[in-house]
Amino acid sequence: MKVACTGRSRALGTRIAEILGAGVVGSWTTRFPDGELYLQTGSLDDTTVVVGSLLSDESLVELLLLIDACQRSEVLLVVPYLGYARQDREFIPGEPVSARAIARALSTGVSRVVTVNVHKESVLSHFTVPASQVTLEAEIGDFIATLGLEDPLILAPDEGAASFAAAVAARGGWATDHLEKTRISGEEVRMEPVRGDPWTGDVVLVDDIISTGGTLAAAARMLAARGAKGVHAVCVHGLFAGKARTLLGSAGIRELASSDTIESENSRYTAAAAIARALSR
Ligand code: R5P
């Protein structure tokens, strides 16, 4: 078995390979004069674990080419961050179900798919090969424990993330709650507490994705105004689109952490062990 990774998933792919005791296949990309992507891999084994997050249209092409380049072996596909999953239905007539289009494309030439904290589990049914997800609540809980906070409250920004926050909180025996989120526009949200209790200690906001940062920035401002001692944010997938980091910093968020499903300076804990366990099952 060998592990092949796209350019943006090299650190995580290498960690997975180390845990599996597998070698890493080198792969190189360049551009043809007309701008098309060219890719080449090194020598393969019987099975290749292809690791590539779907972060952009470009990373989709790279991933498709890498899967195809590995066809001389059996391909197990790991998509740590499955982009396009949030368009999981036709919200208005004429729209694609983007999650379905992507899942179908990524099912070709692979025997199974593993992803991490997919936005909605129903998206997995669009793959035409067996597909499963691993979830990182335990890893987030263990990371929060390293922060040395005294009895932090683990807070979900909306009801949809409440069970996720509860699972994180259970890891450390901490209290948990959720906020009520009203989306005003793509970048603006209003956050309100469901209960009237003031939170005067440390609060750790947890969510699956941070994209523009609008959700957690609004939550952090509201918490600071209500007397929270310190506000921290931990997510699985740190997209940090546009000025998200600046926005979150100016909202007073102290610790801003994500996993390495999207590798960045905020990747403070890893999804590697959970993915390796799923691949070994
Ligand atoms: C929404 O359902 C997700 O769980 C996240 O809360 C959302 O994607 C975060 O987006 P943003 O950082 O742009 O507010």
Side-chain angles (χ1 to χ4, degrees):
M1 176 185 282
K2 283 193 177 177
V3 176
C5 343
T6 58
R8 303 273 303 271
S9 293
R10 273 199 213 291
L12 176 55
T14 304
R15 288 179 190 123
I16 294 170
E18 275 165 16
I19 296 169
L20 294 174
V24 176
V25 188
S27 65
W28 303 267
T29 57
T30 183
R31 294 269 170 198
F32 286 106
D34 61 3
E36 287 182 357
L37 193 66
Y38 171 85
L39 180 144
Q40 194 186 353
T41 65
S43 65
L44 302 170
D45 224 332
D46 292 348
T47 306
T48 312
V49 176
V50 170
V51 183
S53 277
L54 199 55
L55 302 167
S56 61
D57 307 354
E58 190 180 330
S59 65
L60 172 63
V61 175
E62 185 184 353
L63 190 53
L64 291 174
L65 297 187
L66 185 57
I67 292 167
D68 201 75
C70 296
Q71 287 303 295
R72 278 171 289 131
S73 62
E74 181 189 6
V75 175
L76 311 180
L77 177 62
V78 176
V79 191
Y81 172 65
L82 183 65
Y84 284 93
R86 284 175 287 176
Q87 179 78 24
D88 62 340
R89 63 190 173 90
E90 187 183 2
F91 294 93
I92 51 173
E95 288 181 343
V97 179
S98 307
R100 180 178 60 202
I102 296 294
R104 285 178 179 169
L106 291 179
S107 297
T108 305
V110 311
S111 53
R112 62 180 280 217
V113 178
V114 174
T115 186
V116 181
N117 283 89
V118 68
H119 188 58
K120 274 198 197 136
E121 195 162 14
S122 56
V123 165
L124 298 175
S125 67
H126 294 308
F127 287 95
T128 59
V129 293
S132 60
Q133 66 164 332
V134 298
T135 63
L136 302 187
E137 292 91 337
E139 284 75 6
I140 294 178
D142 292 349
F143 169 72
I144 292 171
T146 68
L147 298 178
L149 306 173
E150 199 183 325
D151 297 328
L153 172 73
I154 310 301
L155 191 61
D158 55 32
E159 200 177 354
S163 59
F164 175 70
V168 171
R171 188 78 177 175
W174 302 305
T176 185
D177 205 341
H178 71 272
L179 300 173
E180 197 168 286
K181 164 172 153 183
T182 313
R183 190 164 275 287
I184 299 161
S185 70
E187 295 191 350
E188 210 188 334
V189 291
R190 188 174 56 237
M191 310 294 304
E192 285 156 322
V194 174
R195 281 173 273 279
D197 308 345
W199 293 300
T200 51
D202 277 296
V203 179
V204 184
L205 291 159
V206 293
D207 208 350
D208 59 345
I209 297 172
I210 297 178
S211 180
T212 64
T215 300
L216 296 195
R221 279 193 296 269
M222 185 275 290
L223 290 166
R226 285 170 181 262
K229 178 176 161 198
V231 183
H232 315 267
V234 186
C235 68
V236 176
H237 308 296
L239 284 166
F240 305 121
K243 296 197 167 115
R245 286 188 180 84
T246 313
L247 181 70
L248 292 161
S250 60
I253 287 182
R254 294 188 189 172
E255 186 73 43
L256 178 61
S258 69
S259 79
D260 52 1
T261 57
I262 301 171
E263 294 163 11
S264 80
E265 72 231 49
N266 296 93
S267 298
R268 300 284 309 279
Y269 69 98
T270 180
I275 292 171
R277 276 196 301 275
L279 288 168
S280 307
R281 279 199 283 273

